[in-house]
Amino acid sequence: MGAAALRALPWALLLLGPLLPGQVLQANPMLTSEGQPAPLPGGEVPGFTPAPPAAPEEIHPLKEQPANGSGEGHAKPRKAFPVIGIDYTHVRIPFEISLWILLACLMKLGFHVIPSVSSIVPESCLLIVVGLLVGGLIKGVGEKPPILKSDIFFLFLLPPIILDAGYFLPLRPFTENLGTILIFAVVGTLWNAFFLGGLMYAVCQLGGPGLNHIGLLANLLFGSIISAVDPVAVLAVFEEIHINELLHILVFGESLLNDAVTVVLYHLFEEFANFEQVTILDIILGFLSFFVVSLGGVLVGVIYGVIAAFTSRFTSHIRVIEPLFVFLYSYMAYLSAELFHLSGIMALIAAGVVMRPYVEANISHKSHTTIKYFLKMWSSVSETLIFIFLGVSTVAGHHYWNWTFVISTLFFCLIARVLGVLVLTWFINKFRIVKLTPKDQFIIAYGGLRGAIAFSLGYLLDYEHFSMRDMFLTAIITVIFFTVFVQGMTIRPLVDLLAVKKKQETKRSINEEIHTQFLDHLLTGIEDICGHYGHHHWKDKLNRFNKKYVKKCLIAGERSKEPQLIAFYHKMEMKQAIELVESGGIGKIPSAVSTVSMQNINPQTLPLERVLPALSKDKEEEIRKILRTNLQKTRQRLRSYNRHTLVADPYEEAWNQMLLRRQKARQLEQKMNNYLTVPAHRVDSPTMSRARIGSDPLAYEPKEDSENLPIITIDPASPQSPESVDLMSEEPKGCSGLPPSPEEDEEGLVMRVKEPSSPGTDDVFTPGTGDSPSNQRMLRCLSDPGPRPEPEEGEPFIPKGQ
């Protein structure tokens, strides 16, 4: 083994010779002014100079070489060992990047340390001012300030902000107001772009010789760049004023979703500017490209989100790399969308929304905390750098100021925004349950801020096709500064002046969250009953599909099942039991944890004064989330009516028998009503009975067999009249189901006590003969002797001998 290695060593060194310095190739330090290697005579390879050929004995690895010079003995001049040196070019790029990030963090820290400044000036305004000062300082010392390049902005600074917004997007208000957001984002952005572009084209035609050369397509391109609401500026301003959720999600959702419209219009007019003639087919293809860009970006994001969720199933043994998967898959979704000129912002939002519920169910709690704080930190630093570099680029860039073009752009931007919000809100309020008030419309129109996306898109324009690029950039920077400084600084006092509802600072209680879910299920059931398929109906269908199919594939183990409250309770119980045993408090263990085996747990010797740690905020939030998702059970949908899939009802036979009895009783009552035309004799009231007896006492003679009858004494003056007796039922002779006996032939009406039902019978399914009022009325009709003759004059009030 050792001999073979020694024989192979010379050949390995020969192969590695070109990579070792001073062997075969030597670097040529001579470079041109452009940084390219200088051409060499003789057709040699530029950038490298071949070393002189060496004899075989010279390159033998085992031959001793001179330690400090060549083989001829010419010694190099010896220099003192450098104790310290400066090599700034070696660390220039990472050093400057770290310095800029450190400056951004210090500015952010100083902004929040001084409350008097933060209460008046928004953070974005202060950062732009810092960028202006830094850019002026760099330019004052004779250096060229760095410019915010579009590639750096779109590939490195914008994705963290959009990922943070999409991953932690409030889904409930976003989905409930999705229609309104789409109308503002699509129709509103198209209106702003064409309205502003058309008016600016008219201004250019009337503005004099300096603007006549700007055509319609160039103005439409400029309108599409400046018309989109910027999500970075909206986030920076609206999070400071703590506006209510409805207005925040409307403006912020519009700024997120209008990216697809902006990208389509930008590339559309940029391509049309290179055409000699635009045909109808080009316009139709440009219209179709909007759906391809928007829906394609969403599809790319959904695919990467599902892959990220599926990957998180298998990370239970390697918890350290869980946050890395979230960041990498999201960034790959953004880059893949940008690769095909799709909407990268839509891809990031879709990836964050799709992956979050499944990833959080698979990863550990510490990984979730890492993802949360790393995203917040990354997005905050990117936002700070964007505003600082916006100020620096303003100082460093080339500008061409034209008063007519710049002032007209600013004025028409405000007019287009106000008119678009008013017209669209009038249309939207016809379909909304919660109407947008005039105060809401004012905040939506006033909150349409422009930012760095418009500046970066303007910076991407080519001088060859758009010679007015510098004037466009000047107008864009003016609009950005006006919206950020003027509107951003005055929106907070206007919100306080108009008494606009602020965001609820405290979290909702568990009771409120459970009742909110209860109302959701109730509204879903009402929509099903009414046959109106609203968003509650479709959300319920999506949740059922998610629980039945998707969760089983993307969530690992038992966590894919819905009831996890009991498992979490057992987990906490086990943890509490172990902590109690370790602390020496075995006697304090409640009986609820008696099922935990304590035989294999070795208690450590710890002081008895140890206090169990209180529940952290993260653990409390986890408990709230589990309670919120499990205490309210989702309603179970009944099967649709189908004679092949009907399930037998155990009470169906009993209900059928009861219905048949009721039907027969109604038929019998109808037959009796056909024969009996006289209504049943009503029992006289106590006053009428006393009047009858007082009119002719002799007319009332007791019967011969009255001594054998039971005597019932009723006080006529008492409130309990015979009509209010519940426990007694009057049954005529011959109607009790038994043949009348000879002794009962002359008894007439007999008062009998109602027998109680047996314990095994059900009053609902086995009703008695005299339970219902209709049966009592029918029985009284059967016992009626017929019409009586009218009393003539001279006869007693009560006839004798009845």
Side-chain angles (χ1 to χ4, degrees), residues 729-760:
S729 61
E730 302 180 16
E731 294 185 2
K733 53 186 178 180
C735 293
S736 60
L738 298 175
S741 59
E743 292 81 10
E744 295 179 351
D745 192 14
E746 299 294 334
E747 289 179 358
L749 295 177
V750 180
M751 308 293 290
R752 294 184 178 178
V753 181
K754 180 180 177 180
E755 297 180 359
S757 59
S758 60

Side-chain angles (χ1 to χ4, degrees), residues 467-756:
S467 59
M468 71 298 299
R469 173 176 175 268
D470 292 339
M471 186 176 65
F472 282 177
L473 281 177
T474 304
I476 289 172
I477 291 175
T478 305
V479 174
I480 291 173
F481 279 18
F482 180 85
T483 56
V484 172
F485 280 91
V486 178
Q487 295 180 207
M489 292 178 63
T490 57
I491 192 171
R492 176 180 292 177
L494 286 175
V495 165
D496 296 335
L497 180 64
L498 297 175
V500 181
K501 184 181 178 182
K502 295 292 189 68
K503 184 179 179 181
Q504 187 180 3
E505 298 296 336
T506 59
K507 294 182 179 180
R508 294 189 304 176
S509 62
I510 291 292
N511 190 17
E512 292 176 348
E513 293 176 353
I514 291 175
H515 278 79
T516 302
Q517 292 192 6
F518 168 73
L519 289 176
D520 289 343
H521 295 306
L522 180 63
L523 291 174
T524 307
I526 292 175
E527 287 182 357
D528 290 347
I529 293 174
C530 298
H532 172 72
Y533 293 155
H535 68 276
H536 289 92
H537 172 81
W538 296 112
K539 185 170 69 173
D540 180 70
K541 278 188 171 296
L542 185 62
N543 288 336
R544 292 183 174 279
F545 178 79
N546 181 32
K547 292 176 183 177
K548 191 174 181 181
Y549 301 106
V550 183
K551 276 190 173 182
K552 296 180 180 179
C553 300
L554 301 183
I555 299 180
E558 297 295 328
R559 286 169 292 185
S560 61
K561 298 181 180 179
E562 180 64 22
Q564 53 181 344
L565 181 62
I566 298 177
F568 182 76
Y569 175 72
H570 284 311
K571 179 181 176 182
M572 289 185 62
E573 225 178 27
M574 177 74 74
K575 184 178 180 181
Q576 182 187 12
I578 294 175
E579 289 178 350
L580 286 172
V581 171
E582 290 179 352
S583 61
I586 304 180
K588 300 179 182 180
I589 298 178
S591 59
V593 296
S594 58
T595 57
V596 181
S597 176
M598 302 297 176
Q599 298 176 359
N600 299 326
I601 300 177
N602 299 322
Q604 301 177 0
T605 305
L606 293 176
L608 297 178
E609 292 80 10
R610 175 183 175 186
V611 181
L612 293 180
L615 208 60
S616 62
K617 291 184 179 180
D618 296 333
K619 184 63 68 175
E620 181 183 355
E621 183 64 26
E622 185 179 359
I623 295 174
R624 288 171 60 89
K625 179 182 177 182
I626 293 179
L627 290 174
R628 183 171 60 249
T629 55
N630 288 275
L631 286 184
Q632 177 62 44
K633 294 295 183 181
T634 308
R635 66 182 185 86
Q636 298 296 326
R637 185 186 299 276
L638 297 176
R639 294 182 179 180
S640 57
Y641 178 79
N642 187 354
R643 61 188 181 91
H644 301 290
T645 59
L646 286 179
V647 182
D649 190 358
Y651 297 99
E652 185 178 3
E653 187 67 25
W655 282 105
N656 290 337
Q657 292 179 3
M658 185 184 69
L659 293 176
L660 288 175
R661 289 172 184 167
R662 289 182 179 179
Q663 186 178 3
K664 290 180 180 179
R666 290 194 189 97
Q667 292 176 357
L668 181 60
E669 184 178 3
Q670 290 177 359
K671 289 181 181 179
M672 296 307 300
N673 289 335
N674 293 333
Y675 293 104
L676 300 176
T677 57
V678 179
H681 176 65
R682 296 181 62 185
V683 180
D684 292 335
S685 62
T687 306
M688 186 61 68
S689 300
R690 286 197 300 268
R692 289 180 180 274
I693 295 174
S695 62
D696 190 4
L698 299 179
Y700 177 76
E701 293 182 357
K703 299 182 180 180
E704 298 178 357
D705 298 335
S706 61
E707 298 177 356
N708 300 328
L709 294 175
I711 300 174
I712 300 176
T713 305
I714 299 176
D715 186 7
S718 64
Q720 295 182 353
S721 62
E723 296 177 351
S724 63
V725 177
D726 296 330
L727 300 179
M728 310 299 290
S729 61
E730 302 180 16
E731 294 185 2
K733 53 186 178 180
C735 293
S736 60
L738 298 175
S741 59
E743 292 81 10
E744 295 179 351
D745 192 14
E746 299 294 334
E747 289 179 358
L749 295 177
V750 180
M751 308 293 290
R752 294 184 178 178
V753 181
K754 180 180 177 180
E755 297 180 359

Side-chain angles (χ1 to χ4, degrees), residues 17-324:
L19 302 179
L20 299 176
Q23 292 293 329
V24 179
L25 295 178
Q26 296 177 353
N28 185 8
M30 300 179 60
L31 300 176
T32 62
S33 59
E34 289 80 5
Q36 300 296 330
L40 298 176
E44 297 174 356
V45 180
F48 294 95
T49 302
E57 63 271 13
E58 293 180 356
I59 62 173
H60 199 280
L62 300 181
K63 183 179 180 180
E64 296 184 359
Q65 298 292 334
N68 224 355
S70 60
E72 288 79 8
H74 296 287
K76 291 183 179 180
R78 186 176 182 277
K79 294 182 180 180
F81 181 78
V83 178
I84 188 172
I86 298 176
D87 190 6
Y88 180 69
T89 57
H90 181 62
V91 295
R92 178 176 178 269
I93 295 179
F95 183 81
E96 291 182 356
I97 292 176
S98 304
L99 191 62
W100 279 108
I101 295 177
L102 181 60
L103 175 64
C105 296
L106 290 176
M107 291 299 104
K108 204 175 187 67
L109 180 63
F111 173 78
H112 290 282
V113 165
I114 308 174
S116 58
V117 177
S118 60
S119 60
I120 300 175
V121 183
E123 182 181 351
S124 55
C125 300
L126 184 65
L127 295 175
I128 291 178
V129 171
V130 171
L132 291 172
L133 295 177
V134 173
L137 183 62
I138 295 176
K139 197 170 185 180
V141 297
E143 296 290 335
K144 185 178 180 181
I147 297 178
L148 181 61
K149 296 184 179 180
S150 299
D151 293 340
I152 296 177
F153 172 77
F154 283 110
L155 296 180
F156 300 106
L157 296 180
L158 184 62
I161 302 175
I162 304 302
L163 177 59
D164 175 63
Y167 192 82
F168 298 103
L169 184 70
L171 272 182
R172 182 181 179 87
F174 183 79
T175 53
E176 289 179 352
N177 301 279
L178 184 59
T180 306
I181 293 172
L182 285 176
I183 290 177
F184 279 130
V186 179
V187 183
T189 306
L190 289 174
W191 158 259
N192 291 337
F194 285 97
F195 179 81
L196 182 61
L199 289 181
M200 291 308 298
Y201 176 69
V203 169
C204 291
Q205 296 301 314
L206 302 175
L211 300 176
N212 286 336
H213 64 283
I214 304 178
L216 178 61
L217 288 177
N219 281 287
L220 289 176
L221 176 64
F222 174 73
S224 65
I225 292 174
I226 200 64
S227 62
V229 180
D230 188 73
V232 183
V234 169
L235 270 178
V237 173
F238 271 60
E239 286 187 352
E240 293 183 15
I241 62 177
H242 302 288
I243 201 69
N244 63 76
E245 289 184 351
L246 176 62
L247 295 180
H248 184 272
I249 200 63
L250 287 181
V251 181
F252 179 60
E254 176 192 358
S255 66
L256 287 178
L257 300 187
N258 64 9
D259 173 72
V261 182
T262 306
V263 170
V264 169
L265 292 178
Y266 180 83
H267 290 293
L268 183 68
F269 294 132
E270 190 181 23
E271 291 293 331
F272 285 175
N274 301 327
F275 294 168
E276 296 181 357
Q277 184 180 2
V278 180
T279 62
I280 301 295
L281 180 62
D282 296 331
I283 298 176
I284 295 176
L285 293 177
F287 177 75
L288 293 178
S289 65
F290 164 72
F291 297 97
V292 175
V293 168
S294 57
L295 298 180
V298 172
L299 181 61
V300 170
V302 169
I303 291 175
Y304 275 96
V306 171
I307 295 175
F310 185 75
T311 308
S312 64
R313 288 192 56 173
F314 311 99
T315 58
S316 57
H317 301 290
I318 318 174
R319 296 292 189 186
V320 205
I321 61 174
E322 286 176 341
L324 194 59

